[in-house]
Amino acid sequence: MRNKGLLIVLSGPSGVGKDTVIEQVIKNDSSIKRSISATTRPARPGELNGRDYLFISEDEFCKNITEDRLLEYTKYCENYYGTLKKSVEEILADGQNVILKIEVDGARQIKEKCPDSLRIFILPPTMQELKNRLLNRGSEPYKNLEIRLKRAIEEIKFSLQYDYIVVNDNVDECAAVINSIVNAEKFKPFRMKNIVNEVLNDEKNTYR
Ligand code: 5GP
């Protein structure tokens, strides 16, 4: 019997390198698929609709809220971000693992709705390094940079409530640690119930 896929929540302050880490995690393990979030923020240069985000209007986003199509959502730095139920359910139903790249408020909502989810927080090595990475990205006006750094401090305080914290000093190492966490997580007893029952049933048939 196949076990249900894992719902993996990955958080970390803006600029910590979540996208690059996720890309590597998926390269290492093709059973992990990314859920594409919806957002009202404009696309940055190089970002593609449907690949990086579903870039939608505020009206469309609010319609998703009223029609209960979102698993979670939040307002972050003046823009809405949310996870569509459909994009997660489709992947899990297929027995694959799904990874969500979301901030701490969304992660809290997911833990309430899906207590079996696995939550991992990515920490920058230092705040100075985080600032450098945001500056190097060059996509934020200075005002946003300050807002994102303040928000980063608040998010890091929440990291202690996650299941695991991994420092992103080096992308390959950080991704490898996340892959090992995901692999180990699959063997937690509460996730192995189906397999245990199957073995027990088999034992009943053998000795009947
Ligand atoms: P960015 O604008 O840098 O792409 O994302 C800003 C923040 O929003 C990041 O911390 C990112 O993880 C978070 N985020 C992206 N998609 C979602 C989502 O669907 N839900 C929530 N709650 N946060 C999201």
Side-chain angles (χ1 to χ4, degrees):
M1 180 187 276
R2 203 166 49 168
N3 257 358
K4 216 179 121 218
L6 267 181
L7 174 51
I8 308 156
V9 171
L10 199 95
S11 303
S14 181
V16 78
K18 296 185 291 284
D19 283 313
T20 329
V21 169
I22 289 179
E23 206 178 297
Q24 190 56 43
V25 165
I26 292 174
K27 256 191 212 157
N28 296 343
D29 180 351
S30 61
S31 74
I32 303 176
K33 309 282 174 207
R34 242 194 88 176
S35 147
I36 309 296
S37 294
T39 184
T40 59
R41 97 153 154 69
R44 297 188 185 120
E47 283 185 330
L48 278 184
N49 188 29
R51 184 194 66 187
D52 299 291
Y53 279 106
L54 299 169
F55 295 101
I56 61 176
S57 67
E58 203 160 316
D59 281 353
E60 275 179 274
F61 200 97
C62 291
K63 197 161 176 248
N64 281 322
I65 298 174
T66 47
E67 295 184 358
D68 195 28
R69 289 205 210 115
L70 297 171
L71 189 56
E72 61 73 38
Y73 70 94
T74 200
K75 200 164 189 185
Y76 181 100
C77 298
E78 304 303 315
N79 292 301
Y80 283 106
Y81 294 81
T83 307
L84 288 156
K85 287 180 183 170
K86 194 170 152 253
S87 71
V88 171
E89 283 161 4
E90 276 172 3
I91 301 172
L92 290 179
D94 200 27
Q96 309 261 42
N97 306 304
V98 62
I99 194 159
L100 310 182
K101 183 202 75 169
I102 62 179
E103 51 65 66
V104 294
D105 182 41
R108 180 191 51 74
Q109 296 171 47
I110 297 274
K111 195 66 188 176
E112 274 172 27
K113 288 189 185 161
C114 317
D116 290 357
S117 55
L118 166 65
R119 295 188 307 167
I120 303 172
F121 193 93
I122 304 191
L123 203 62
T126 60
M127 282 308 286
Q128 185 56 48
E129 176 60 22
L130 184 70
K131 193 173 177 183
N132 293 345
R133 288 182 195 175
L134 277 170
L135 281 170
N136 286 340
R137 192 158 81 175
S139 60
E140 307 296 332
Y142 198 75
K143 181 177 144 270
N144 280 6
L145 184 77
E146 244 178 82
I147 296 173
R148 281 179 185 253
L149 281 173
K150 274 198 191 128
R151 173 90 188 210
I153 292 167
E154 291 312 308
E155 296 210 25
I156 291 171
K157 289 181 190 162
F158 276 100
S159 63
L160 294 170
Q161 295 177 25
Y162 278 64
D163 300 310
Y164 295 91
I165 299 176
V166 184
V167 177
N168 182 18
D169 214 348
N170 169 289
V171 172
D172 289 343
E173 284 170 19
C174 178
V177 172
I178 292 173
N179 286 114
S180 349
I181 292 171
V182 169
N183 283 334
E185 186 69 22
K186 291 178 195 158
F187 300 100
K188 285 262 178 79
F190 78 93
R191 298 191 198 280
M192 293 292 287
K193 264 189 205 152
N194 291 343
I195 315 269
V196 171
N197 286 336
E198 205 172 76
V199 170
L200 289 176
N201 277 337
D202 187 42
E203 195 264 355
K204 258 192 237 158
N205 295 337
T206 311
Y207 294 100
R208 209 186 321 210

